[in-house]
mmCIF file of all heavy atoms in Angstrom:
data_model
loop_
_atom_site.group_PDB
_atom_site.id
_atom_site.type_symbol
_atom_site.label_atom_id
_atom_site.label_comp_id
_atom_site.label_asym_id
_atom_site.label_seq_id
_atom_site.Cartn_x
_atom_site.Cartn_y
_atom_site.Cartn_z
ATOM 1 N N VAL A 1093 32.556 84.098 102.235
ATOM 2 C CA VAL A 1093 33.046 83.068 101.271
ATOM 3 C C VAL A 1093 33.268 83.810 99.945
ATOM 4 O O VAL A 1093 32.349 84.462 99.407
ATOM 5 C CB VAL A 1093 32.027 81.899 101.135
ATOM 6 C CG1 VAL A 1093 32.434 80.976 99.933
ATOM 7 C CG2 VAL A 1093 32.041 81.101 102.425
ATOM 8 N N TYR A 1094 34.458 83.693 99.383
ATOM 9 C CA TYR A 1094 34.867 84.278 98.130
ATOM 10 C C TYR A 1094 35.186 83.204 97.136
ATOM 11 O O TYR A 1094 35.974 82.333 97.377
ATOM 12 C CB TYR A 1094 36.075 85.230 98.419
ATOM 13 C CG TYR A 1094 36.581 85.937 97.231
ATOM 14 C CD1 TYR A 1094 35.967 87.078 96.799
ATOM 15 C CD2 TYR A 1094 37.795 85.585 96.671
ATOM 16 C CE1 TYR A 1094 36.479 87.816 95.745
ATOM 17 C CE2 TYR A 1094 38.354 86.375 95.583
ATOM 18 C CZ TYR A 1094 37.681 87.493 95.118
ATOM 19 O OH TYR A 1094 38.203 88.196 94.102
ATOM 20 N N LYS A 1095 34.463 83.250 95.959
ATOM 21 C CA LYS A 1095 34.635 82.191 94.994
ATOM 22 C C LYS A 1095 34.572 82.742 93.561
ATOM 23 O O LYS A 1095 33.763 83.682 93.348
ATOM 24 C CB LYS A 1095 33.559 81.142 95.174
ATOM 25 C CG LYS A 1095 33.656 79.865 94.397
ATOM 26 C CD LYS A 1095 32.598 78.816 94.788
ATOM 27 C CE LYS A 1095 32.656 77.625 93.908
ATOM 28 N NZ LYS A 1095 33.953 76.836 94.131
ATOM 29 N N GLU A 1096 35.342 82.127 92.728
ATOM 30 C CA GLU A 1096 35.360 82.543 91.321
ATOM 31 C C GLU A 1096 34.140 81.977 90.646
ATOM 32 O O GLU A 1096 33.713 80.815 90.832
ATOM 33 C CB GLU A 1096 36.609 82.019 90.601
ATOM 34 C CG GLU A 1096 36.714 82.460 89.164
ATOM 35 C CD GLU A 1096 37.858 81.845 88.360
ATOM 36 O OE1 GLU A 1096 38.783 81.300 89.100
ATOM 37 O OE2 GLU A 1096 37.875 81.855 87.172
ATOM 38 N N GLU A 1097 33.542 82.826 89.764
ATOM 39 C CA GLU A 1097 32.444 82.322 88.888
ATOM 40 C C GLU A 1097 33.028 81.642 87.637
ATOM 41 O O GLU A 1097 33.772 82.307 86.899
ATOM 42 C CB GLU A 1097 31.487 83.426 88.483
ATOM 43 C CG GLU A 1097 30.610 83.958 89.535
ATOM 44 C CD GLU A 1097 29.570 85.005 88.892
ATOM 45 O OE1 GLU A 1097 30.016 86.097 88.649
ATOM 46 O OE2 GLU A 1097 28.438 84.579 88.760
ATOM 47 N N ILE A 1098 32.776 80.402 87.448
ATOM 48 C CA ILE A 1098 33.387 79.687 86.324
ATOM 49 C C ILE A 1098 32.430 79.747 85.155
ATOM 50 O O ILE A 1098 31.228 79.398 85.281
ATOM 51 C CB ILE A 1098 33.643 78.166 86.714
ATOM 52 C CG1 ILE A 1098 34.548 78.080 87.919
ATOM 53 C CG2 ILE A 1098 34.280 77.480 85.526
ATOM 54 C CD1 ILE A 1098 35.884 78.769 87.776
ATOM 55 N N THR A 1099 32.961 80.079 83.992
ATOM 56 C CA THR A 1099 32.187 80.122 82.755
ATOM 57 C C THR A 1099 32.830 79.301 81.754
ATOM 58 O O THR A 1099 34.082 79.321 81.608
ATOM 59 C CB THR A 1099 31.979 81.596 82.264
ATOM 60 O OG1 THR A 1099 33.254 82.147 82.058
ATOM 61 C CG2 THR A 1099 31.185 82.391 83.219
ATOM 62 N N LEU A 1100 32.116 78.506 80.971
ATOM 63 C CA LEU A 1100 32.659 77.737 79.879
ATOM 64 C C LEU A 1100 32.673 78.438 78.602
ATOM 65 O O LEU A 1100 31.670 79.017 78.210
ATOM 66 C CB LEU A 1100 31.851 76.400 79.723
ATOM 67 C CG LEU A 1100 31.811 75.488 80.940
ATOM 68 C CD1 LEU A 1100 30.874 74.339 80.707
ATOM 69 C CD2 LEU A 1100 33.197 74.984 81.324
ATOM 70 N N GLU A 1101 33.876 78.485 77.914
ATOM 71 C CA GLU A 1101 34.015 79.201 76.665
ATOM 72 C C GLU A 1101 34.020 78.253 75.494
ATOM 73 O O GLU A 1101 34.575 77.137 75.605
ATOM 74 C CB GLU A 1101 35.231 80.098 76.705
ATOM 75 C CG GLU A 1101 35.176 81.223 77.803
ATOM 76 C CD GLU A 1101 36.370 82.090 77.643
ATOM 77 O OE1 GLU A 1101 37.224 81.880 76.721
ATOM 78 O OE2 GLU A 1101 36.532 83.035 78.438
ATOM 79 N N THR A 1102 33.469 78.682 74.390
ATOM 80 C CA THR A 1102 33.568 77.934 73.197
ATOM 81 C C THR A 1102 34.959 78.000 72.613
ATOM 82 O O THR A 1102 35.477 79.083 72.425
ATOM 83 C CB THR A 1102 32.526 78.385 72.111
ATOM 84 O OG1 THR A 1102 31.246 78.358 72.724
ATOM 85 C CG2 THR A 1102 32.545 77.508 70.871
ATOM 86 N N PRO A 1103 35.600 76.809 72.276
ATOM 87 C CA PRO A 1103 36.966 76.861 71.723
ATOM 88 C C PRO A 1103 37.020 77.613 70.376
ATOM 89 O O PRO A 1103 36.121 77.535 69.586
ATOM 90 C CB PRO A 1103 37.260 75.379 71.471
ATOM 91 C CG PRO A 1103 36.340 74.649 72.372
ATOM 92 C CD PRO A 1103 35.093 75.483 72.474
ATOM 93 N N SER A 1104 38.069 78.348 70.190
ATOM 94 C CA SER A 1104 38.251 79.158 68.997
ATOM 95 C C SER A 1104 38.706 78.259 67.858
ATOM 96 O O SER A 1104 39.547 77.288 68.006
ATOM 97 C CB SER A 1104 39.258 80.232 69.192
ATOM 98 O OG SER A 1104 39.655 80.842 67.934
ATOM 99 N N PRO A 1105 38.136 78.465 66.627
ATOM 100 C CA PRO A 1105 38.536 77.605 65.441
ATOM 101 C C PRO A 1105 39.930 77.920 64.916
ATOM 102 O O PRO A 1105 40.402 77.333 64.034
ATOM 103 C CB PRO A 1105 37.403 77.943 64.383
ATOM 104 C CG PRO A 1105 36.993 79.352 64.804
ATOM 105 C CD PRO A 1105 37.070 79.415 66.268
ATOM 106 N N ASN A 1106 40.535 79.010 65.381
ATOM 107 C CA ASN A 1106 41.855 79.502 64.995
ATOM 108 C C ASN A 1106 42.896 78.442 65.301
ATOM 109 O O ASN A 1106 43.264 78.302 66.512
ATOM 110 C CB ASN A 1106 42.221 80.841 65.529
ATOM 111 C CG ASN A 1106 43.464 81.358 64.955
ATOM 112 O OD1 ASN A 1106 44.181 80.728 64.159
ATOM 113 N ND2 ASN A 1106 43.814 82.577 65.356
ATOM 114 N N GLN A 1107 43.471 77.736 64.444
ATOM 115 C CA GLN A 1107 44.454 76.710 64.634
ATOM 116 C C GLN A 1107 45.847 77.199 65.108
ATOM 117 O O GLN A 1107 46.612 76.500 65.702
ATOM 118 C CB GLN A 1107 44.637 75.805 63.379
ATOM 119 C CG GLN A 1107 43.348 75.109 62.962
ATOM 120 C CD GLN A 1107 42.855 74.115 64.045
ATOM 121 O OE1 GLN A 1107 43.661 73.376 64.648
ATOM 122 N NE2 GLN A 1107 41.612 74.119 64.270
ATOM 123 N N ASN A 1108 46.099 78.525 64.836
ATOM 124 C CA ASN A 1108 47.307 79.083 65.137
ATOM 125 C C ASN A 1108 47.426 79.741 66.467
ATOM 126 O O ASN A 1108 48.437 80.308 66.941
ATOM 127 C CB ASN A 1108 47.785 80.182 64.060
ATOM 128 C CG ASN A 1108 47.886 79.522 62.663
ATOM 129 O OD1 ASN A 1108 48.445 78.509 62.598
ATOM 130 N ND2 ASN A 1108 47.382 80.239 61.684
ATOM 131 N N GLN A 1109 46.305 79.578 67.210
ATOM 132 C CA GLN A 1109 46.202 80.198 68.545
ATOM 133 C C GLN A 1109 47.105 79.446 69.521
ATOM 134 O O GLN A 1109 47.243 78.251 69.481
ATOM 135 C CB GLN A 1109 44.789 80.195 69.051
ATOM 136 C CG GLN A 1109 44.395 81.583 69.522
ATOM 137 C CD GLN A 1109 42.909 81.609 69.967
ATOM 138 O OE1 GLN A 1109 42.277 80.582 70.057
ATOM 139 N NE2 GLN A 1109 42.400 82.802 70.159
ATOM 140 N N ILE A 1110 47.665 80.163 70.491
ATOM 141 C CA ILE A 1110 48.469 79.593 71.586
ATOM 142 C C ILE A 1110 47.518 79.340 72.754
ATOM 143 O O ILE A 1110 46.802 80.251 73.211
ATOM 144 C CB ILE A 1110 49.579 80.498 72.035
ATOM 145 C CG1 ILE A 1110 50.552 80.805 70.852
ATOM 146 C CG2 ILE A 1110 50.292 79.909 73.210
ATOM 147 C CD1 ILE A 1110 51.544 81.839 71.114
ATOM 148 N N ALA A 1111 47.422 78.137 73.218
ATOM 149 C CA ALA A 1111 46.552 77.756 74.339
ATOM 150 C C ALA A 1111 47.249 78.064 75.624
ATOM 151 O O ALA A 1111 48.352 77.626 75.864
ATOM 152 C CB ALA A 1111 46.080 76.345 74.184
ATOM 153 N N ILE A 1112 46.534 78.747 76.564
ATOM 154 C CA ILE A 1112 47.102 79.027 77.912
ATOM 155 C C ILE A 1112 46.265 78.179 78.796
ATOM 156 O O ILE A 1112 44.995 78.419 78.969
ATOM 157 C CB ILE A 1112 46.983 80.503 78.231
ATOM 158 C CG1 ILE A 1112 47.685 81.359 77.146
ATOM 159 C CG2 ILE A 1112 47.570 80.821 79.527
ATOM 160 C CD1 ILE A 1112 49.114 81.072 76.950
ATOM 161 N N VAL A 1113 46.804 77.311 79.536
ATOM 162 C CA VAL A 1113 46.082 76.417 80.520
ATOM 163 C C VAL A 1113 46.697 76.508 81.860
ATOM 164 O O VAL A 1113 47.920 76.435 82.020
ATOM 165 C CB VAL A 1113 46.152 74.918 79.995
ATOM 166 C CG1 VAL A 1113 45.389 74.049 80.979
ATOM 167 C CG2 VAL A 1113 45.575 74.776 78.616
ATOM 168 N N PHE A 1114 45.852 76.739 82.863
ATOM 169 C CA PHE A 1114 46.318 76.770 84.224
ATOM 170 C C PHE A 1114 45.692 75.629 84.981
ATOM 171 O O PHE A 1114 44.559 75.311 84.840
ATOM 172 C CB PHE A 1114 45.825 78.036 84.906
ATOM 173 C CG PHE A 1114 46.477 79.292 84.210
ATOM 174 C CD1 PHE A 1114 45.695 79.951 83.284
ATOM 175 C CD2 PHE A 1114 47.692 79.746 84.553
ATOM 176 C CE1 PHE A 1114 46.288 81.096 82.589
ATOM 177 C CE2 PHE A 1114 48.212 80.898 83.957
ATOM 178 C CZ PHE A 1114 47.511 81.518 83.007
ATOM 179 N N SER A 1115 46.487 75.016 85.838
ATOM 180 C CA SER A 1115 46.060 73.851 86.496
ATOM 181 C C SER A 1115 45.710 74.086 87.986
ATOM 182 O O SER A 1115 45.336 73.210 88.704
ATOM 183 C CB SER A 1115 47.092 72.677 86.390
ATOM 184 O OG SER A 1115 48.288 73.024 87.027
ATOM 185 N N ASN A 1116 45.941 75.282 88.408
ATOM 186 C CA ASN A 1116 45.688 75.614 89.838
ATOM 187 C C ASN A 1116 45.015 76.898 89.978
ATOM 188 O O ASN A 1116 45.124 77.794 89.152
ATOM 189 C CB ASN A 1116 47.013 75.593 90.683
ATOM 190 C CG ASN A 1116 47.873 76.662 90.240
ATOM 191 O OD1 ASN A 1116 48.231 76.833 89.064
ATOM 192 N ND2 ASN A 1116 48.349 77.519 91.200
#
């Protein structure tokens, strides 16, 4: 069984950052 380890990251306060979001 092969599985990704999920870690939660603290959002960056930088308002100019481009958010990359993957849904799959």
Side-chain angles (χ1 to χ4, degrees):
V1093 170
Y1094 180 75
K1095 189 175 177 63
E1096 181 186 347
E1097 283 189 286
I1098 304 299
T1099 55
L1100 298 176
E1101 295 185 2
T1102 304
S1104 171
N1106 185 357
Q1107 297 297 317
N1108 297 319
Q1109 228 176 13
I1110 299 171
I1112 307 298
V1113 179
F1114 298 94
S1115 61
N1116 64 306

